[in-house]
Amino acid sequence: TDELYLGALDRVFQHAAPATGTATLRGSRVRPGAIRNTALLTVEGGRDDICALGQTSAAHDLCRSLRPHLKRHHLQANVGHYGVFNGKRWEREIYPVVRNLILAME
């Protein structure tokens, strides 16, 4: 719904809840630093006009309990915000990175 979407924008981007440690889910505080048993892949578009460079990769610092070999970041040159997850660059360059990480973690 519009309300859900606008609320998420407010919490995540305007109030920076994940970065400031004030994010909650179902009434409980979200603690990214407690995440230990998963892989983390962040993807950024080099020409993203909505999310600034570094905003996505900041998740690596927040998930401080993850071992370094479980953290990966992919910066896709010459792609904007919407091109990160659709179109030719997604199919040919970004999706293979996502797929290979999933396969490596199985």
Side-chain angles (χ1 to χ4, degrees):
T1 64
D2 292 349
E3 185 177 296
L4 178 66
Y5 179 72
L6 293 173
L9 288 177
D10 179 64
R11 288 186 304 278
V12 173
F13 295 104
Q14 293 180 328
H15 290 98
T20 60
T22 59
T24 60
L25 177 65
R26 298 184 184 132
S28 296
R29 188 172 145 243
V30 175
R31 297 178 13 229
I35 299 170
R36 298 176 193 277
N37 299 316
T38 191
L40 173 64
L41 171 65
T42 53
V43 179
E44 291 183 318
R47 298 176 115 188
D48 195 322
D49 57 340
I50 294 176
C51 296
L53 284 179
Q55 188 170 350
T56 302
S57 63
H60 293 263
D61 292 333
L62 294 174
C63 298
R64 61 186 170 274
S65 294
L66 279 178
R67 292 171 290 173
H69 75 277
L70 294 174
K71 296 178 181 183
R72 297 195 188 147
H73 179 70
H74 179 75
L75 175 61
Q76 183 64 49
N78 299 317
V79 71
H81 188 79
Y82 296 104
V84 169
F85 292 104
N86 74 58
K88 291 178 185 176
R89 294 268 167 94
W90 160 253
E91 291 175 12
R92 295 180 186 158
E93 299 176 43
I94 302 168
Y95 171 70
V97 172
V98 175
R99 181 195 62 226
N100 290 341
L101 177 67
I102 293 169
L103 292 172
M105 294 298 126
E106 287 184 338

